[in-house]
């Protein structure tokens, strides 16, 4: 073990749960239970396995399933906890404080890939998702399509043309060809949530027209016939191996097309409703990382002695801690407010982008400041602060880069103030 916690050099500090008008007694209890699980079960594994670049163990996933963490957003009637987005984000902050990948894996459950117009089919998928028996991998991005998913070129074509053998083409299967990148948890997943183009965009409908979502069922630990993959060597975000996948004449049944009840070719537009949840959850995960770095820095600076006294007595260090604390608190309030708006049924596009932008960049700044407080020790793998630093950098990139969030926010601001309307 290489973390400073595992050597018991310094106590693990955990700041008390914050007070907020959004935190009901029930939510506080849920948050505290999640915090205890994260610190007692997840953090020791992170300290042991992250330096070895190992994946989240199955035993931990089973513990999380028993606690209902894969069904926070799924109704009780379908085996879930029946909670909202704010509860989901509170849980994500706690888990990410211990290990970012654990805060992320719950998004591969919680109803992902469970849309269907068939009530019986939908209920079956939701129950398996809530029980942690249907954990997916998101296969949206490509080497040439990241933030702009309208550039997706991975194709899915009908395996039988209209009129051939008298078969209705809607009953035909699909053949998929293309490459997907940044597919976390791909080999260990129960299914791939695949974004593919079924036809060229129609005039006047925009480049996202013609994109559909498919469910590629698979066995854990292997890839189906026609799919090959290679792990991507990352600088962080260990715990979930990330893959680049090649699809070569992969045959899928007709039912693999995720049936949303909308006109074919509109699947991607349907999926956009999840973006607000993804953004605000990323903000919560970023806060968890920043808080972990702050808590570790607080313990370290009270124990580390230089010039005959703890470095926490030095004004420069104290000012850094104050700035870090303010940034964490501000980011937390932003994400909690945005999550509350989503739960209230508000559009909240701007608020979730603001939360994601501010929290992710605050996390990068706070973890860097924490590493500075650790000095040379921070630049070793003997202390967990370097993990928070590496992982925080990613939060400014995935689920929409900071630049994309700024574009969304600016577009909203300008549309609300047409023709340069002035308050004078």
């Amino acid at each position: 073990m290489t973390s400073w916690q595992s050597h018991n050099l310094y106590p693990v500090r955990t700041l008390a749960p914050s007070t907020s008008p959004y935190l009901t007694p029930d939510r506080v209890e849920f948050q505290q239970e999640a915090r205890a699980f994260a610190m007692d079960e997840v953090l020791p594994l992170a300290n042991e396995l992250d330096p070895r670049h190992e994946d989240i163990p199955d035993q931990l996933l089973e513990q999380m399933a028993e606690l209902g963490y894969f069904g926070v957003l799924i109704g009780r009637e379908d085996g879930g906890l029946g909670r909202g987005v704010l509860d989901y984000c509170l849980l994500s902050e706690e888990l990410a404080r211990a290990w970012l990948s654990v805060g992320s894996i719950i998004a591969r459950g919680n109803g992902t890939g469970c849309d269907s117009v068939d009530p019986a089919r939908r209920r079956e998928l939701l129950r398996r998702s809530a029980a942690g028996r249907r954990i997916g991998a998101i296969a949206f991005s490509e080497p040439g399509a990241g933030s702009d998913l309208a550039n997706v070129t991975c194709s899915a074509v009908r395996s039988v043309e209209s009129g051939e053998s008298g078969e209705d083409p809607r009953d035909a299967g699909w053949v998929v060809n293309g490459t997907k990148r940044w597919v976390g948890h791909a080999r260990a997943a129960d299914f791939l949530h695949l974004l593919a183009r079924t036809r060229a965009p129609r005039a006047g409908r925009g480049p996202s027209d013609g994109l559909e979502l498919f469910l590629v069922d698979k066995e854990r630990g292997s890839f189906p016939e026609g799919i090959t993959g290679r792990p991507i060597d990352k600088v962080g975000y260990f715990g979930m191996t990330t893959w680049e996948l090649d699809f070569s004449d992969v045959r899928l049944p007709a039912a693999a097309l995720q049936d949303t009840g909308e006109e074919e070719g509109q699947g991607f537009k349907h999926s956009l409703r999840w973006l607000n949840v993804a953004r605000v959850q990323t903000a919560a995960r970023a806060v968890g990382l920043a808080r972990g770095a702050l808590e570790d820095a607080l313990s370290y600076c009270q124990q580390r002695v230089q010039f005959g006294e703890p470095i926490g007595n030095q004004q420069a260090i104290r000012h850094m801690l104050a700035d870090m604390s303010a940034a964490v608190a501000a980011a937390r309030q932003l994400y909690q407010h945005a999550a509350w708006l989503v739960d209230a049924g508000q559009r909240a596009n701007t608020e979730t982008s603001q939360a994601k932008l501010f929290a992710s960049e605050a996390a990068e700044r706070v973890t860097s400041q924490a590493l500075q407080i650790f000095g040379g020790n921070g630049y070793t793998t003997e202390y967990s602060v370097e993990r928070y630093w590496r992982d925080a950098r990613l939060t400014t990139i995935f689920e929409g880069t900071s630049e994309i969030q700024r574009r969304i926010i600016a577009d909203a601001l300008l549309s609300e103030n047409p023709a340069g309307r002035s308050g004078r």
Side-chain angles (χ1 to χ4, degrees):
M1 296 186 183
T2 59
S3 71
W4 63 269
Q5 289 97 333
S6 65
H7 288 300
N8 294 317
L9 296 177
Y10 306 100
V12 175
R13 175 188 290 270
T14 306
L15 298 176
S18 64
T19 57
S20 165
Y22 307 113
L23 298 187
T24 62
D26 176 63
R27 284 193 177 120
V28 170
E29 181 180 0
F30 178 69
Q31 180 187 35
Q32 290 177 329
E33 290 174 353
R35 181 164 297 192
F37 175 76
M39 299 304 290
D40 295 342
E41 303 294 337
V42 180
L43 184 61
L45 281 175
N47 293 334
E48 176 185 355
L49 300 181
D50 191 271
R52 301 205 299 255
H53 301 184
E54 294 186 20
D55 284 356
I56 303 168
D58 290 342
Q59 182 180 357
L60 186 66
L61 296 178
E62 292 169 3
Q63 289 177 275
M64 294 168 65
E66 290 175 4
L67 291 167
Y69 290 167
F70 290 105
V72 178
L73 297 174
I74 297 174
R76 292 182 180 275
E77 68 277 9
D78 292 317
L81 298 183
R83 292 181 174 272
V85 174
L86 179 52
D87 306 77
Y88 178 60
C89 289
L90 293 174
L91 171 63
S92 299
E93 178 188 334
E94 299 304 328
L95 296 177
R97 186 266 178 257
W99 203 5
L100 176 61
S101 57
V102 175
S104 300
I105 194 71
I106 59 172
R108 273 73 178 172
N110 277 290
T112 295
C114 294
D115 287 325
S116 176
V117 293
D118 180 353
R121 173 63 172 163
R122 176 173 170 79
R123 171 156 289 188
E124 174 199 0
L125 294 177
L126 285 171
R127 287 187 173 275
R128 290 173 59 194
S129 181
R133 291 185 288 106
R134 186 171 173 78
I135 302 175
I138 310 301
F140 284 14
S141 296
E142 297 181 5
S147 296
D148 185 8
L149 289 175
N151 285 330
V152 161
T153 60
C154 180
S155 66
V157 298
R158 298 281 187 182
S159 58
V160 177
E161 297 296 335
S162 176
E164 182 176 336
S165 302
E167 183 173 354
D168 187 331
R170 291 172 296 182
D171 297 329
W174 299 88
V175 179
V176 178
N177 284 281
T179 300
K180 289 296 178 180
R181 189 167 170 82
W182 310 118
V183 190
H185 196 64
R187 188 165 64 184
D190 298 301
F191 69 97
L192 304 177
H193 202 201
L194 173 70
L195 180 66
R197 183 169 291 285
T198 58
R199 57 171 169 77
R202 292 174 178 167
R205 293 200 176 190
S208 63
D209 182 57
L211 292 175
E212 280 289 357
L213 292 169
F214 294 84
L215 299 179
V216 184
D217 289 323
K218 57 180 292 296
E219 296 292 331
R220 290 187 181 184
S222 64
F223 293 123
E225 183 179 355
I227 300 178
T228 57
R230 68 170 187 85
I232 298 173
D233 191 9
K234 304 171 294 186
V235 299
Y237 199 33
F238 304 125
M240 283 197 301
T241 301
T242 302
W243 295 81
E244 180 167 298
L245 304 179
D246 289 318
F247 293 73
S248 179
D249 291 333
V250 177
R251 295 190 173 272
L252 302 177
L257 176 65
Q258 193 162 356
D259 189 357
T260 62
E262 300 180 17
E263 176 191 354
E264 188 176 306
Q266 304 303 304
F268 177 64
K269 292 180 181 179
H270 179 80
S271 72
L272 293 178
R273 65 191 179 89
W274 285 103
L275 283 181
N276 279 342
V277 177
R279 288 173 189 147
V280 74
Q281 194 227 2
T282 300
R285 288 181 286 171
V287 169
L289 292 168
R291 198 187 88 217
L294 171 60
E295 290 174 353
D296 286 7
L298 283 169
S299 291
Y300 183 84
C301 74
Q302 290 173 303
Q303 300 294 323
R304 174 66 167 166
V305 174
Q306 289 283 279
F307 306 107
E309 63 177 358
I311 62 173
N313 291 347
Q314 299 174 13
Q315 186 179 60
I317 299 295
R318 297 167 74 90
H319 285 183
M320 290 174 69
L321 293 171
D323 289 343
M324 294 160 66
S325 174
V328 171
R332 180 180 292 116
Q333 291 301 312
L334 269 176
Y335 94 65
Q336 289 185 1
H337 177 64
W340 179 82
L341 289 174
V342 174
D343 280 333
Q346 301 296 312
R347 190 163 182 263
N349 288 15
T350 302
E351 289 83 358
T352 57
S353 286
Q354 288 172 335
K356 200 273 184 187
L357 171 65
F358 185 87
S360 62
E361 300 214 335
E364 183 181 7
R365 187 169 61 252
V366 168
T367 55
S368 180
Q369 290 173 311
L371 192 145
Q372 191 72 18
I373 288 172
F374 275 75
N377 284 331
Y379 204 65
T380 71
T381 58
E382 297 175 3
Y383 297 82
S384 298
V385 67
E386 60 87 26
R387 179 171 79 240
Y388 298 122
W389 178 56
R390 286 185 286 107
D391 288 351
R393 185 65 181 85
L394 179 60
T395 66
T396 69
I397 299 173
F398 67 5
E399 304 294 359
T401 64
S402 290
E403 291 71 28
I404 291 293
Q405 305 312 318
R406 289 186 173 97
R407 177 177 176 176
I408 293 168
I409 296 165
D411 285 350
L413 291 173
L414 292 169
S415 67
E416 293 166 3
N417 187 36
R421 185 175 62 236
S422 173
R424 290 184 296 176

